[in-house]
Amino acid sequence: GAVVSQHPSRVICKSGTSVKIECRSLDFQATTMFWYRQFPKQSLMLMATSNEGSKATYEQGVEKDKFLINHASLTLSTLTVTSAHPEDSSFYICSARDLLNLGVKTYEQYFGPGTRLTVT
Amino acid sequence: AQKVTQAQTEISVVEKEDVTLDCVYETRDTTYYLFWYKQPPSGELVFLIRRNSFDEQNEISGRYSWNFQKSTSSFNFTITASQVVDSAVYFCALSADTGTASKLTFGTGTRLQVTL
């Protein structure tokens, strides 16, 4: 149980175009999903916290208009990188918390396999 | 503010050696959770352990063991008899008890290279 998928796993796009990345919780409901970015050989940096049915909360320094996050259902959150530039090339990882599995697992996040974005 | 420090950037060992990965954390919260994750070359994060701040009991799982010491704010990870498959980047992470937020703060990671 507690599987999170991401699509696509890899994407190459041209500078100036937009790219959408999907994050799905496959076998559980997630009111909260998190989006991270990881540059090569660096740590994961939280970009935003996505709550179902409400606006995402962005971390300091993350441009809201550039990284659009939508969490329309309890199993799907999307991250759209708008007008992508080469410096946006990175590994994007989402995670989700299990709404129903309270108690011991309340604070556990389940991670997706990541999406590698390359902007040319 | 929360902070996780993994001072070891890279460690290289020969197979069958024991290796300890250090993790030091900072938080003002009295209730918090500590995690270790493994990130193999494929990129996917693999959950290894979660420990809450009230449980200082050390844990062993096969070749893996964890030493949690609140007095020194450390949560170190030891791999006994390392294997080539253990080669990966290991991240220590901290999450405070902030209700629904539960944001994870990651350390910078330790790259472990196990050679034959």
Side-chain angles (χ1 to χ4, degrees):
Chain A
V3 178
V4 176
S5 71
Q6 277 184 246
H7 179 78
S9 57
R10 287 179 179 271
V11 57
I12 301 173
C13 70
K14 291 188 176 179
S15 188
T17 61
S18 295
V19 175
K20 181 186 283 188
I21 302 170
E22 293 185 348
C23 176
R24 293 181 185 273
S25 54
L26 298 185
D27 49 3
F28 65 98
Q29 294 181 320
T31 53
T32 304
M33 290 184 173
F34 302 87
W35 286 96
Y36 296 85
R37 179 168 57 182
Q38 184 181 31
F39 290 111
K41 296 194 176 183
Q42 293 190 26
S43 187
L44 283 78
M45 299 301 295
L46 179 66
M47 298 174 66
T49 302
S50 167
N51 295 301
E52 186 265 336
S54 63
K55 290 183 179 180
T57 302
Y58 290 81
E59 295 298 301
Q60 197 170 10
V62 177
E63 299 176 57
K64 302 178 185 181
D65 296 331
K66 181 165 188 62
F67 298 100
L68 301 178
I69 291 172
N70 184 281
H71 193 159
S73 76
L74 286 172
T75 59
L76 174 65
S77 175
T78 60
L79 167 67
T80 301
V81 183
T82 62
S83 187
H85 290 285
E87 57 264 31
D88 298 324
S89 298
S90 187
F91 192 54
Y92 292 87
I93 306 174
C94 73
S95 70
R97 288 182 60 222
D98 185 345
L99 167 67
L100 299 178
N101 206 343
L102 301 178
V104 174
K105 292 185 181 295
T106 301
Y107 297 103
E108 188 160 337
Q109 292 182 25
Y110 300 98
F111 285 84
T115 297
R116 193 165 301 281
L117 169 63
T118 303
V119 184
T120 60
Chain B
Q2 299 176 133
K3 186 178 179 182
V4 177
T5 301
Q6 293 180 255
Q8 303 150 309
T9 307
E10 289 193 37
I11 299 176
S12 186
V13 298
V14 176
E15 203 176 39
K16 296 183 183 176
E17 284 185 15
D18 298 347
V19 58
T20 295
L21 310 181
D22 298 333
C23 173
V24 175
Y25 63 92
E26 294 176 31
T27 180
R28 294 178 185 164
D29 296 282
T30 54
T31 303
Y32 51 89
Y33 295 80
L34 294 163
F35 302 78
W36 275 97
Y37 291 90
K38 174 182 179 179
Q39 188 177 42
S42 63
E44 185 165 357
L45 279 177
V46 177
F47 168 80
L48 296 178
I49 190 171
R50 177 190 62 252
R51 174 68 56 185
N52 77 54
S53 52
F54 296 111
D55 183 2
E56 286 194 69
Q57 210 170 7
N58 290 331
E59 183 155 340
I60 298 175
S61 176
R63 296 184 297 107
Y64 296 168
S65 62
W66 291 270
N67 184 310
F68 176 29
Q69 296 203 351
K70 285 180 81 169
S71 60
T72 56
S73 297
S74 65
F75 186 43
N76 296 337
F77 172 34
T78 297
I79 302 175
T80 303
S82 60
Q83 301 176 1
V84 173
V85 293
D86 296 327
S87 297
V89 180
Y90 291 86
F91 290 99
C92 179
L94 167 70
S95 177
D97 183 6
T98 54
T100 57
S102 301
K103 295 190 291 187
L104 276 172
T105 299
F106 284 86
T108 50
T110 297
R111 183 176 299 274
L112 174 64
Q113 184 76 33
V114 182
T115 57
L116 292 171

PDB file of all heavy atoms in Angstrom, chain A residues 69-102:
ATOM      1  N   ILE A  69       0.611  25.078  -8.912  1.00  0.00           N
ATOM      2  CA  ILE A  69       0.237  23.820  -8.284  1.00  0.00           C
ATOM      3  C   ILE A  69      -1.267  23.753  -8.135  1.00  0.00           C
ATOM      4  O   ILE A  69      -1.902  24.686  -7.654  1.00  0.00           O
ATOM      5  CB  ILE A  69       0.920  23.666  -6.916  1.00  0.00           C
ATOM      6  CG1 ILE A  69       2.422  23.478  -7.118  1.00  0.00           C
ATOM      7  CG2 ILE A  69       0.333  22.494  -6.130  1.00  0.00           C
ATOM      8  CD1 ILE A  69       3.233  23.501  -5.840  1.00  0.00           C
ATOM      9  N   ASN A  70      -1.820  22.632  -8.543  1.00  0.00           N
ATOM     10  CA  ASN A  70      -3.245  22.389  -8.437  1.00  0.00           C
ATOM     11  C   ASN A  70      -3.477  21.055  -7.756  1.00  0.00           C
ATOM     12  O   ASN A  70      -2.876  20.045  -8.108  1.00  0.00           O
ATOM     13  CB  ASN A  70      -3.885  22.382  -9.835  1.00  0.00           C
ATOM     14  CG  ASN A  70      -5.387  22.225  -9.750  1.00  0.00           C
ATOM     15  OD1 ASN A  70      -5.893  21.122  -9.557  1.00  0.00           O
ATOM     16  ND2 ASN A  70      -6.103  23.318  -9.862  1.00  0.00           N
ATOM     17  N   HIS A  71      -4.337  21.042  -6.760  1.00  0.00           N
ATOM     18  CA  HIS A  71      -4.635  19.809  -6.014  1.00  0.00           C
ATOM     19  C   HIS A  71      -6.148  19.629  -6.030  1.00  0.00           C
ATOM     20  O   HIS A  71      -6.820  19.896  -5.041  1.00  0.00           O
ATOM     21  CB  HIS A  71      -4.093  19.957  -4.593  1.00  0.00           C
ATOM     22  CG  HIS A  71      -4.044  18.672  -3.832  1.00  0.00           C
ATOM     23  ND1 HIS A  71      -3.218  18.517  -2.750  1.00  0.00           N
ATOM     24  CD2 HIS A  71      -4.702  17.507  -3.967  1.00  0.00           C
ATOM     25  CE1 HIS A  71      -3.374  17.306  -2.250  1.00  0.00           C
ATOM     26  NE2 HIS A  71      -4.268  16.678  -2.974  1.00  0.00           N
ATOM     27  N   ALA A  72      -6.628  19.181  -7.172  1.00  0.00           N
ATOM     28  CA  ALA A  72      -8.070  19.182  -7.410  1.00  0.00           C
ATOM     29  C   ALA A  72      -8.811  18.030  -6.750  1.00  0.00           C
ATOM     30  O   ALA A  72     -10.016  18.093  -6.537  1.00  0.00           O
ATOM     31  CB  ALA A  72      -8.325  19.160  -8.918  1.00  0.00           C
ATOM     32  N   SER A  73      -8.112  16.962  -6.420  1.00  0.00           N
ATOM     33  CA  SER A  73      -8.790  15.824  -5.798  1.00  0.00           C
ATOM     34  C   SER A  73      -7.901  15.232  -4.729  1.00  0.00           C
ATOM     35  O   SER A  73      -6.751  15.630  -4.573  1.00  0.00           O
ATOM     36  CB  SER A  73      -9.121  14.760  -6.846  1.00  0.00           C
ATOM     37  OG  SER A  73      -7.952  14.032  -7.194  1.00  0.00           O
ATOM     38  N   LEU A  74      -8.425  14.275  -3.992  1.00  0.00           N
ATOM     39  CA  LEU A  74      -7.666  13.667  -2.905  1.00  0.00           C
ATOM     40  C   LEU A  74      -6.591  12.707  -3.395  1.00  0.00           C
ATOM     41  O   LEU A  74      -5.845  12.155  -2.596  1.00  0.00           O
ATOM     42  CB  LEU A  74      -8.617  12.922  -1.962  1.00  0.00           C
ATOM     43  CG  LEU A  74      -9.461  13.817  -1.067  1.00  0.00           C
ATOM     44  CD1 LEU A  74     -10.499  12.992  -0.316  1.00  0.00           C
ATOM     45  CD2 LEU A  74      -8.595  14.580  -0.072  1.00  0.00           C
ATOM     46  N   THR A  75      -6.508  12.502  -4.711  1.00  0.00           N
ATOM     47  CA  THR A  75      -5.501  11.587  -5.224  1.00  0.00           C
ATOM     48  C   THR A  75      -4.619  12.188  -6.297  1.00  0.00           C
ATOM     49  O   THR A  75      -3.752  11.512  -6.845  1.00  0.00           O
ATOM     50  CB  THR A  75      -6.172  10.325  -5.810  1.00  0.00           C
ATOM     51  OG1 THR A  75      -7.055  10.725  -6.867  1.00  0.00           O
ATOM     52  CG2 THR A  75      -6.936   9.558  -4.742  1.00  0.00           C
ATOM     53  N   LEU A  76      -4.814  13.475  -6.590  1.00  0.00           N
ATOM     54  CA  LEU A  76      -4.044  14.068  -7.687  1.00  0.00           C
ATOM     55  C   LEU A  76      -3.616  15.497  -7.393  1.00  0.00           C
ATOM     56  O   LEU A  76      -4.430  16.337  -7.019  1.00  0.00           O
ATOM     57  CB  LEU A  76      -4.864  14.051  -8.975  1.00  0.00           C
ATOM     58  CG  LEU A  76      -4.255  14.775 -10.184  1.00  0.00           C
ATOM     59  CD1 LEU A  76      -2.964  14.083 -10.633  1.00  0.00           C
ATOM     60  CD2 LEU A  76      -5.254  14.838 -11.335  1.00  0.00           C
ATOM     61  N   SER A  77      -2.322  15.734  -7.570  1.00  0.00           N
ATOM     62  CA  SER A  77      -1.800  17.098  -7.524  1.00  0.00           C
ATOM     63  C   SER A  77      -0.945  17.277  -8.767  1.00  0.00           C
ATOM     64  O   SER A  77      -0.265  16.339  -9.197  1.00  0.00           O
ATOM     65  CB  SER A  77      -0.957  17.320  -6.268  1.00  0.00           C
ATOM     66  OG  SER A  77      -0.358  18.614  -6.280  1.00  0.00           O
ATOM     67  N   THR A  78      -0.988  18.480  -9.347  1.00  0.00           N
ATOM     68  CA  THR A  78      -0.168  18.739 -10.527  1.00  0.00           C
ATOM     69  C   THR A  78       0.717  19.950 -10.300  1.00  0.00           C
ATOM     70  O   THR A  78       0.325  20.906  -9.622  1.00  0.00           O
ATOM     71  CB  THR A  78      -1.026  18.979 -11.782  1.00  0.00           C
ATOM     72  OG1 THR A  78      -1.883  20.113 -11.561  1.00  0.00           O
ATOM     73  CG2 THR A  78      -1.870  17.768 -12.111  1.00  0.00           C
ATOM     74  N   LEU A  79       1.900  19.867 -10.869  1.00  0.00           N
ATOM     75  CA  LEU A  79       2.852  20.977 -10.843  1.00  0.00           C
ATOM     76  C   LEU A  79       3.107  21.377 -12.288  1.00  0.00           C
ATOM     77  O   LEU A  79       3.518  20.533 -13.096  1.00  0.00           O
ATOM     78  CB  LEU A  79       4.162  20.544 -10.181  1.00  0.00           C
ATOM     79  CG  LEU A  79       5.368  21.478 -10.352  1.00  0.00           C
ATOM     80  CD1 LEU A  79       5.132  22.794  -9.622  1.00  0.00           C
ATOM     81  CD2 LEU A  79       6.646  20.815  -9.837  1.00  0.00           C
ATOM     82  N   THR A  80       2.834  22.620 -12.624  1.00  0.00           N
ATOM     83  CA  THR A  80       3.090  23.106 -13.969  1.00  0.00           C
ATOM     84  C   THR A  80       4.221  24.113 -13.921  1.00  0.00           C
ATOM     85  O   THR A  80       4.117  25.125 -13.212  1.00  0.00           O
ATOM     86  CB  THR A  80       1.838  23.762 -14.585  1.00  0.00           C
ATOM     87  OG1 THR A  80       0.772  22.810 -14.620  1.00  0.00           O
ATOM     88  CG2 THR A  80       2.121  24.240 -16.011  1.00  0.00           C
ATOM     89  N   VAL A  81       5.278  23.827 -14.642  1.00  0.00           N
ATOM     90  CA  VAL A  81       6.394  24.758 -14.756  1.00  0.00           C
ATOM     91  C   VAL A  81       6.112  25.612 -15.985  1.00  0.00           C
ATOM     92  O   VAL A  81       6.127  25.115 -17.118  1.00  0.00           O
ATOM     93  CB  VAL A  81       7.732  24.023 -14.906  1.00  0.00           C
ATOM     94  CG1 VAL A  81       8.884  25.024 -14.947  1.00  0.00           C
ATOM     95  CG2 VAL A  81       7.934  23.025 -13.775  1.00  0.00           C
ATOM     96  N   THR A  82       5.828  26.875 -15.765  1.00  0.00           N
ATOM     97  CA  THR A  82       5.454  27.750 -16.870  1.00  0.00           C
ATOM     98  C   THR A  82       6.680  28.457 -17.437  1.00  0.00           C
ATOM     99  O   THR A  82       7.608  28.793 -16.688  1.00  0.00           O
ATOM    100  CB  THR A  82       4.420  28.791 -16.429  1.00  0.00           C
ATOM    101  OG1 THR A  82       5.018  29.619 -15.410  1.00  0.00           O
ATOM    102  CG2 THR A  82       3.183  28.127 -15.857  1.00  0.00           C
ATOM    103  N   SER A  83       6.651  28.662 -18.741  1.00  0.00           N
ATOM    104  CA  SER A  83       7.752  29.341 -19.421  1.00  0.00           C
ATOM    105  C   SER A  83       9.099  28.829 -18.901  1.00  0.00           C
ATOM    106  O   SER A  83       9.910  29.580 -18.341  1.00  0.00           O
ATOM    107  CB  SER A  83       7.638  30.855 -19.204  1.00  0.00           C
ATOM    108  OG  SER A  83       8.602  31.548 -19.985  1.00  0.00           O
ATOM    109  N   ALA A  84       9.292  27.547 -19.088  1.00  0.00           N
ATOM    110  CA  ALA A  84      10.481  26.902 -18.524  1.00  0.00           C
ATOM    111  C   ALA A  84      11.771  27.434 -19.155  1.00  0.00           C
ATOM    112  O   ALA A  84      11.811  27.780 -20.340  1.00  0.00           O
ATOM    113  CB  ALA A  84      10.387  25.391 -18.729  1.00  0.00           C
ATOM    114  N   HIS A  85      12.800  27.488 -18.329  1.00  0.00           N
ATOM    115  CA  HIS A  85      14.122  27.905 -18.780  1.00  0.00           C
ATOM    116  C   HIS A  85      15.138  26.852 -18.350  1.00  0.00           C
ATOM    117  O   HIS A  85      14.857  26.039 -17.459  1.00  0.00           O
ATOM    118  CB  HIS A  85      14.474  29.273 -18.190  1.00  0.00           C
ATOM    119  CG  HIS A  85      13.666  30.385 -18.779  1.00  0.00           C
ATOM    120  ND1 HIS A  85      13.896  30.886 -20.035  1.00  0.00           N
ATOM    121  CD2 HIS A  85      12.596  31.063 -18.287  1.00  0.00           C
ATOM    122  CE1 HIS A  85      13.017  31.847 -20.300  1.00  0.00           C
ATOM    123  NE2 HIS A  85      12.216  31.966 -19.256  1.00  0.00           N
ATOM    124  N   PRO A  86      16.301  26.840 -18.966  1.00  0.00           N
ATOM    125  CA  PRO A  86      17.301  25.819 -18.618  1.00  0.00           C
ATOM    126  C   PRO A  86      17.590  25.720 -17.123  1.00  0.00           C
ATOM    127  O   PRO A  86      17.841  24.627 -16.620  1.00  0.00           O
ATOM    128  CB  PRO A  86      18.534  26.277 -19.404  1.00  0.00           C
ATOM    129  CG  PRO A  86      17.974  26.918 -20.625  1.00  0.00           C
ATOM    130  CD  PRO A  86      16.734  27.638 -20.128  1.00  0.00           C
ATOM    131  N   GLU A  87      17.515  26.826 -16.423  1.00  0.00           N
ATOM    132  CA  GLU A  87      17.787  26.778 -14.973  1.00  0.00           C
ATOM    133  C   GLU A  87      16.701  26.072 -14.183  1.00  0.00           C
ATOM    134  O   GLU A  87      16.867  25.785 -12.990  1.00  0.00           O
ATOM    135  CB  GLU A  87      17.999  28.196 -14.406  1.00  0.00           C
ATOM    136  CG  GLU A  87      16.854  29.139 -14.646  1.00  0.00           C
ATOM    137  CD  GLU A  87      17.072  29.993 -15.875  1.00  0.00           C
ATOM    138  OE1 GLU A  87      17.722  29.527 -16.838  1.00  0.00           O
ATOM    139  OE2 GLU A  87      16.571  31.137 -15.880  1.00  0.00           O
ATOM    140  N   ASP A  88      15.579  25.774 -14.836  1.00  0.00           N
ATOM    141  CA  ASP A  88      14.510  25.004 -14.184  1.00  0.00           C
ATOM    142  C   ASP A  88      14.755  23.505 -14.296  1.00  0.00           C
ATOM    143  O   ASP A  88      14.020  22.703 -13.698  1.00  0.00           O
ATOM    144  CB  ASP A  88      13.148  25.333 -14.798  1.00  0.00           C
ATOM    145  CG  ASP A  88      12.764  26.791 -14.607  1.00  0.00           C
ATOM    146  OD1 ASP A  88      13.084  27.349 -13.539  1.00  0.00           O
ATOM    147  OD2 ASP A  88      12.168  27.367 -15.540  1.00  0.00           O
ATOM    148  N   SER A  89      15.755  23.136 -15.074  1.00  0.00           N
ATOM    149  CA  SER A  89      16.085  21.717 -15.210  1.00  0.00           C
ATOM    150  C   SER A  89      16.450  21.165 -13.844  1.00  0.00           C
ATOM    151  O   SER A  89      17.325  21.692 -13.159  1.00  0.00           O
ATOM    152  CB  SER A  89      17.275  21.540 -16.173  1.00  0.00           C
ATOM    153  OG  SER A  89      16.937  22.017 -17.466  1.00  0.00           O
ATOM    154  N   SER A  90      15.760  20.111 -13.460  1.00  0.00           N
ATOM    155  CA  SER A  90      15.955  19.577 -12.113  1.00  0.00           C
ATOM    156  C   SER A  90      15.189  18.269 -11.985  1.00  0.00           C
ATOM    157  O   SER A  90      14.501  17.840 -12.916  1.00  0.00           O
ATOM    158  CB  SER A  90      15.438  20.591 -11.086  1.00  0.00           C
ATOM    159  OG  SER A  90      15.747  20.194  -9.775  1.00  0.00           O
ATOM    160  N   PHE A  91      15.303  17.665 -10.821  1.00  0.00           N
ATOM    161  CA  PHE A  91      14.545  16.454 -10.481  1.00  0.00           C
ATOM    162  C   PHE A  91      13.434  16.908  -9.542  1.00  0.00           C
ATOM    163  O   PHE A  91      13.711  17.463  -8.483  1.00  0.00           O
ATOM    164  CB  PHE A  91      15.488  15.463  -9.802  1.00  0.00           C
ATOM    165  CG  PHE A  91      14.942  14.077  -9.642  1.00  0.00           C
ATOM    166  CD1 PHE A  91      14.459  13.372 -10.729  1.00  0.00           C
ATOM    167  CD2 PHE A  91      14.948  13.452  -8.412  1.00  0.00           C
ATOM    168  CE1 PHE A  91      13.967  12.082 -10.596  1.00  0.00           C
ATOM    169  CE2 PHE A  91      14.465  12.159  -8.263  1.00  0.00           C
ATOM    170  CZ  PHE A  91      13.970  11.480  -9.347  1.00  0.00           C
ATOM    171  N   TYR A  92      12.199  16.691  -9.947  1.00  0.00           N
ATOM    172  CA  TYR A  92      11.062  17.129  -9.144  1.00  0.00           C
ATOM    173  C   TYR A  92      10.411  15.903  -8.497  1.00  0.00           C
ATOM    174  O   TYR A  92      10.084  14.925  -9.183  1.00  0.00           O
ATOM    175  CB  TYR A  92      10.044  17.876 -10.006  1.00  0.00           C
ATOM    176  CG  TYR A  92      10.575  19.209 -10.496  1.00  0.00           C
ATOM    177  CD1 TYR A  92      11.317  19.300 -11.676  1.00  0.00           C
ATOM    178  CD2 TYR A  92      10.366  20.371  -9.762  1.00  0.00           C
ATOM    179  CE1 TYR A  92      11.826  20.510 -12.106  1.00  0.00           C
ATOM    180  CE2 TYR A  92      10.870  21.586 -10.189  1.00  0.00           C
ATOM    181  CZ  TYR A  92      11.605  21.649 -11.361  1.00  0.00           C
ATOM    182  OH  TYR A  92      12.117  22.861 -11.778  1.00  0.00           O
ATOM    183  N   ILE A  93      10.239  15.963  -7.197  1.00  0.00           N
ATOM    184  CA  ILE A  93       9.692  14.824  -6.449  1.00  0.00           C
ATOM    185  C   ILE A  93       8.475  15.281  -5.661  1.00  0.00           C
ATOM    186  O   ILE A  93       8.505  16.342  -5.034  1.00  0.00           O
ATOM    187  CB  ILE A  93      10.733  14.261  -5.455  1.00  0.00           C
ATOM    188  CG1 ILE A  93      12.035  13.920  -6.174  1.00  0.00           C
ATOM    189  CG2 ILE A  93      10.195  13.036  -4.734  1.00  0.00           C
ATOM    190  CD1 ILE A  93      13.148  13.489  -5.223  1.00  0.00           C
ATOM    191  N   CYS A  94       7.434  14.474  -5.696  1.00  0.00           N
ATOM    192  CA  CYS A  94       6.266  14.791  -4.881  1.00  0.00           C
ATOM    193  C   CYS A  94       6.146  13.760  -3.765  1.00  0.00           C
ATOM    194  O   CYS A  94       6.721  12.667  -3.839  1.00  0.00           O
ATOM    195  CB  CYS A  94       4.987  14.823  -5.712  1.00  0.00           C
ATOM    196  SG  CYS A  94       4.396  13.195  -6.219  1.00  0.00           S
ATOM    197  N   SER A  95       5.431  14.127  -2.742  1.00  0.00           N
ATOM    198  CA  SER A  95       5.133  13.180  -1.676  1.00  0.00           C
ATOM    199  C   SER A  95       3.707  13.426  -1.203  1.00  0.00           C
ATOM    200  O   SER A  95       3.141  14.503  -1.439  1.00  0.00           O
ATOM    201  CB  SER A  95       6.111  13.313  -0.510  1.00  0.00           C
ATOM    202  OG  SER A  95       5.900  14.529   0.182  1.00  0.00           O
ATOM    203  N   ALA A  96       3.154  12.444  -0.536  1.00  0.00           N
ATOM    204  CA  ALA A  96       1.774  12.560  -0.078  1.00  0.00           C
ATOM    205  C   ALA A  96       1.635  11.957   1.300  1.00  0.00           C
ATOM    206  O   ALA A  96       2.343  11.018   1.662  1.00  0.00           O
ATOM    207  CB  ALA A  96       0.847  11.841  -1.061  1.00  0.00           C
ATOM    208  N   ARG A  97       0.699  12.530   2.057  1.00  0.00           N
ATOM    209  CA  ARG A  97       0.398  11.989   3.376  1.00  0.00           C
ATOM    210  C   ARG A  97      -0.928  11.254   3.310  1.00  0.00           C
ATOM    211  O   ARG A  97      -1.855  11.687   2.650  1.00  0.00           O
ATOM    212  CB  ARG A  97       0.322  13.108   4.408  1.00  0.00           C
ATOM    213  CG  ARG A  97       1.670  13.697   4.729  1.00  0.00           C
ATOM    214  CD  ARG A  97       1.522  14.761   5.795  1.00  0.00           C
ATOM    215  NE  ARG A  97       0.945  14.188   7.004  1.00  0.00           N
ATOM    216  CZ  ARG A  97      -0.005  14.813   7.721  1.00  0.00           C
ATOM    217  NH1 ARG A  97      -0.468  15.983   7.362  1.00  0.00           N
ATOM    218  NH2 ARG A  97      -0.488  14.247   8.809  1.00  0.00           N
ATOM    219  N   ASP A  98      -0.997  10.167   4.025  1.00  0.00           N
ATOM    220  CA  ASP A  98      -2.181   9.325   4.034  1.00  0.00           C
ATOM    221  C   ASP A  98      -3.207   9.899   5.000  1.00  0.00           C
ATOM    222  O   ASP A  98      -3.009   9.876   6.208  1.00  0.00           O
ATOM    223  CB  ASP A  98      -1.775   7.907   4.449  1.00  0.00           C
ATOM    224  CG  ASP A  98      -2.916   6.931   4.365  1.00  0.00           C
ATOM    225  OD1 ASP A  98      -4.081   7.365   4.261  1.00  0.00           O
ATOM    226  OD2 ASP A  98      -2.648   5.724   4.396  1.00  0.00           O
ATOM    227  N   LEU A  99      -4.312  10.375   4.471  1.00  0.00           N
ATOM    228  CA  LEU A  99      -5.343  11.005   5.301  1.00  0.00           C
ATOM    229  C   LEU A  99      -5.940  10.053   6.306  1.00  0.00           C
ATOM    230  O   LEU A  99      -6.160  10.389   7.463  1.00  0.00           O
ATOM    231  CB  LEU A  99      -6.455  11.546   4.387  1.00  0.00           C
ATOM    232  CG  LEU A  99      -7.751  11.949   5.074  1.00  0.00           C
ATOM    233  CD1 LEU A  99      -7.531  13.169   5.961  1.00  0.00           C
ATOM    234  CD2 LEU A  99      -8.833  12.240   4.051  1.00  0.00           C
ATOM    235  N   LEU A 100      -6.224   8.830   5.856  1.00  0.00           N
ATOM    236  CA  LEU A 100      -6.996   7.929   6.689  1.00  0.00           C
ATOM    237  C   LEU A 100      -6.161   7.137   7.687  1.00  0.00           C
ATOM    238  O   LEU A 100      -6.681   6.648   8.677  1.00  0.00           O
ATOM    239  CB  LEU A 100      -7.776   6.953   5.813  1.00  0.00           C
ATOM    240  CG  LEU A 100      -8.782   7.612   4.868  1.00  0.00           C
ATOM    241  CD1 LEU A 100      -9.467   6.551   4.022  1.00  0.00           C
ATOM    242  CD2 LEU A 100      -9.825   8.390   5.673  1.00  0.00           C
ATOM    243  N   ASN A 101      -4.868   7.040   7.418  1.00  0.00           N
ATOM    244  CA  ASN A 101      -4.044   6.183   8.268  1.00  0.00           C
ATOM    245  C   ASN A 101      -3.482   7.000   9.416  1.00  0.00           C
ATOM    246  O   ASN A 101      -2.333   7.392   9.404  1.00  0.00           O
ATOM    247  CB  ASN A 101      -2.920   5.584   7.434  1.00  0.00           C
ATOM    248  CG  ASN A 101      -2.432   4.280   8.019  1.00  0.00           C
ATOM    249  OD1 ASN A 101      -2.692   3.968   9.177  1.00  0.00           O
ATOM    250  ND2 ASN A 101      -1.719   3.522   7.229  1.00  0.00           N
ATOM    251  N   LEU A 102      -4.292   7.255  10.382  1.00  0.00           N
ATOM    252  CA  LEU A 102      -3.895   8.122  11.480  1.00  0.00           C
ATOM    253  C   LEU A 102      -3.025   7.366  12.487  1.00  0.00           C
ATOM    254  O   LEU A 102      -2.713   6.210  12.333  1.00  0.00           O
ATOM    255  CB  LEU A 102      -5.141   8.672  12.186  1.00  0.00           C
ATOM    256  CG  LEU A 102      -6.073   9.467  11.280  1.00  0.00           C
ATOM    257  CD1 LEU A 102      -7.300   9.934  12.054  1.00  0.00           C
ATOM    258  CD2 LEU A 102      -5.348  10.655  10.688  1.00  0.00           C
TER     259      LEU A 102
END
